Amino acid sequence: TFGVGFVSRPLGGWVIGRLADRRGRKPAMILSFTLMGIGIVGLALTPSYHAIGITASILAVAFRLLQGFALGGEVGPNAAFLLEAAPPHRPVRP
């Protein structure tokens, strides 16, 4: 379940990255933050296997895929947004 989140990261980077290029960095950031919030809350509220059976496993994997998708879309647009929003007289320090 943990590793499945890494599968959807490239897809999230591609989809949300294209959205950031077309509609702007801020809407892409808001979308990725919202999707990550849904994934986190959904995973936290997923009942146990004992309560709902195999559906719990399916929900856990689905929410992890959503988290991976959102994280893939967060990295590129967020870095670009922060670099674009930085004042020009302040150098970027590692």
Side-chain angles (χ1 to χ4, degrees), residues 1-40:
T1 303
F2 173 75
V4 78
F6 293 101
V7 173
S8 58
R9 279 188 186 182
L11 181 62
W14 185 74
V15 171
I16 296 177
R18 287 184 53 91
L19 175 77
D21 289 340
R22 294 174 187 250
R23 300 232 174 133
R25 309 276 184 233
K26 190 173 181 179
M29 279 179 34
I30 292 170
L31 175 65
S32 64
F33 291 159
T34 302
L35 290 175
M36 182 60 80
I38 291 169
I40 290 169

Side-chain angles (χ1 to χ4, degrees), residues 3-94:
V4 78
F6 293 101
V7 173
S8 58
R9 279 188 186 182
L11 181 62
W14 185 74
V15 171
I16 296 177
R18 287 184 53 91
L19 175 77
D21 289 340
R22 294 174 187 250
R23 300 232 174 133
R25 309 276 184 233
K26 190 173 181 179
M29 279 179 34
I30 292 170
L31 175 65
S32 64
F33 291 159
T34 302
L35 290 175
M36 182 60 80
I38 291 169
I40 290 169
V41 170
L43 196 56
L45 296 178
T46 300
S48 68
Y49 182 85
H50 182 69
I52 62 172
I54 192 73
T55 307
S57 300
I58 294 168
L59 283 173
V61 169
F63 286 128
R64 282 294 296 148
L65 284 170
L66 184 62
Q67 285 179 333
F69 183 85
L71 187 61
E74 276 182 28
V75 175
N78 287 350
F81 179 78
L82 291 173
L83 287 173
E84 291 169 356
H89 66 278
R90 296 198 53 180
V92 177
R93 295 183 185 141

